[in-house]
Amino acid sequence: MILTVTLNAALDLTYRVPVLTPHAAHRVARVTERPGGKGLNVARVLAALGHETVATGFVGGATGEAVRRLLADSAGPLTDALVPVSGSTRRTVTVVEPAGESPDPAATTLRLATEPTRFDEPGPHITPEEWAAFGERYARLLRDARVVALCGSLPPGVPVGAYAHLVRQARAHHVPVLLDTAGEPLRRGIAARPDAVKPNTAELAALTGSTDPLRAAQDARRRGAHVVAASLGPDGMLAVTPEGTWLAAPPRPLYGNPTGAGDSAVAALLAGWLEGRPWPDRLADAVALSAATVRAPAAGEFDAKTYDDLRDRIRVSPL
């Protein structure tokens, strides 16, 4: 099975409004409510693709119960192994302004008037006892895991070096591990030598000081990551690996709500890893699934038709 870790799970709310105007009241045209946090998004996509997936991390309070209820409704073989805590799971709110379909008849995604506006709560405070309980569950789950993804931010109370510790545990169990986080948790986690990291360009620049994605990805490999798969937003994905370096790009510019697109890319990379596919194929799949996610109403989902249409049309070039 594939194990995903979401230490700072969330209840994701997506509001669609005709126009977002600061300092004004808004009538919300549509509300979408989903289980969220990067690792839960990854888990839901993997399960929808048919991969046996176990999701662990923390949930608490009435919001946490809502997350678990919604998670139980997810499609595919997804097991809830979340650890209950006394604090309340956070909420995230994404506000999008649909501007209708793109005028390009070949486009397969929605065009938005602006980039989405997002509000992220900090998450519950995790006690030392709750962190220890998670550690025991994580160690048990690693026994049956074939690959593990450590995703997202850290809630208050969790040590900043938590991901480094979890990476080392996975490696001790000979389980490949992908890390997708940012800031100091990424800096410390990458030093523990994960099998792969999946930063975006801003996270790479903050880590390395370089705004050139290729140079930054090469630097990140020198810092400890075996593979660096960097999200380039609408420009696709770059992978720097021991076998080579590739750039995967969509056939046209992508328009839509990018929330969760990077999480879908992680899901595709994990699936390709499990199936033993070569890196160019994994990248093509990751970019296609990311594109399909901007067509879906919320993170953790994808439009199957868009995914099928794009899978064989992604350009993958060696660098």
Side-chain angles (χ1 to χ4, degrees), residues 80-287:
D80 174 351
L82 295 163
V83 176
V85 296
S86 58
S88 183
T89 295
R90 68 189 177 125
R91 294 161 296 181
T92 64
V93 178
T94 302
V95 183
V96 297
E97 305 171 65
E101 296 289 340
S102 167
D104 177 4
T108 61
T109 57
L110 291 174
R111 182 187 296 275
L112 297 184
T114 64
E115 284 295 305
T117 299
R118 182 164 167 166
F119 302 88
D120 291 350
E121 295 179 357
H125 186 276
I126 304 301
T127 67
E129 294 76 17
E130 290 165 344
W131 176 238
F134 168 80
E136 292 175 2
R137 180 162 300 184
Y138 179 69
R140 289 197 302 270
L141 292 170
L142 280 176
R143 298 170 190 165
D144 297 318
R146 296 179 61 190
V147 62
V148 59
L150 309 174
C151 305
S153 61
L154 300 179
V158 171
V160 70
Y163 281 137
H165 173 66
L166 299 180
V167 167
R168 286 192 289 268
Q169 274 190 277
R171 289 179 58 82
H173 282 77
H174 307 289
V175 179
V177 56
L178 183 151
L179 176 63
D180 184 12
T181 187
E184 189 62 20
L186 174 60
R187 189 180 306 277
R188 298 197 185 196
I190 207 170
R193 307 188 69 80
D195 295 271
V197 294
K198 204 287 301 170
N200 60 32
T201 51
E203 292 160 353
L204 264 182
L207 174 70
T208 67
S210 175
T211 57
D212 177 78
L214 178 56
R215 182 175 299 175
Q218 291 168 335
D219 188 356
R221 277 206 72 221
R222 288 191 290 269
R223 291 168 184 258
H226 190 65
V227 167
V228 178
S231 293
L232 306 181
D235 295 324
M237 177 168 277
L238 169 72
V240 180
T241 81
E243 293 81 21
T245 299
W246 294 273
L247 174 65
R252 58 183 175 275
L254 304 177
Y255 299 95
N257 179 5
T259 306
D263 305 330
S264 292
V266 169
L269 294 176
L270 292 172
W273 205 333
L274 205 61
E275 296 162 1
R277 302 176 67 191
W279 270 104
D281 290 351
R282 299 186 208 181
L283 284 179
D285 217 32
V287 172

Side-chain angles (χ1 to χ4, degrees), residues 289-303:
L289 198 56
S290 295
T293 297
V294 304
R295 189 69 160 115
E301 301 172 5
F302 61 93
D303 181 76

Side-chain angles (χ1 to χ4, degrees), residues 7-136:
L7 297 179
N8 208 7
L11 179 65
D12 278 353
L13 301 171
T14 302
Y15 293 165
R16 291 183 179 269
V17 300
V19 178
L20 178 61
T21 305
H23 315 298
H26 296 77
R27 186 176 297 277
V28 178
R30 181 182 176 188
V31 180
T32 305
E33 188 179 64
R34 296 289 189 272
K38 294 180 74 65
L40 291 187
N41 292 338
V42 172
R44 291 173 60 226
V45 171
L46 282 167
L49 292 171
H51 294 280
E52 181 185 357
T53 307
V54 174
T56 190
F58 297 114
V59 288
T63 310
E65 287 303 314
V67 168
R68 301 190 93 152
R69 185 177 65 253
L70 292 166
L71 198 63
D73 293 335
S74 299
L78 175 55
T79 299
D80 174 351
L82 295 163
V83 176
V85 296
S86 58
S88 183
T89 295
R90 68 189 177 125
R91 294 161 296 181
T92 64
V93 178
T94 302
V95 183
V96 297
E97 305 171 65
E101 296 289 340
S102 167
D104 177 4
T108 61
T109 57
L110 291 174
R111 182 187 296 275
L112 297 184
T114 64
E115 284 295 305
T117 299
R118 182 164 167 166
F119 302 88
D120 291 350
E121 295 179 357
H125 186 276
I126 304 301
T127 67
E129 294 76 17
E130 290 165 344
W131 176 238
F134 168 80
E136 292 175 2

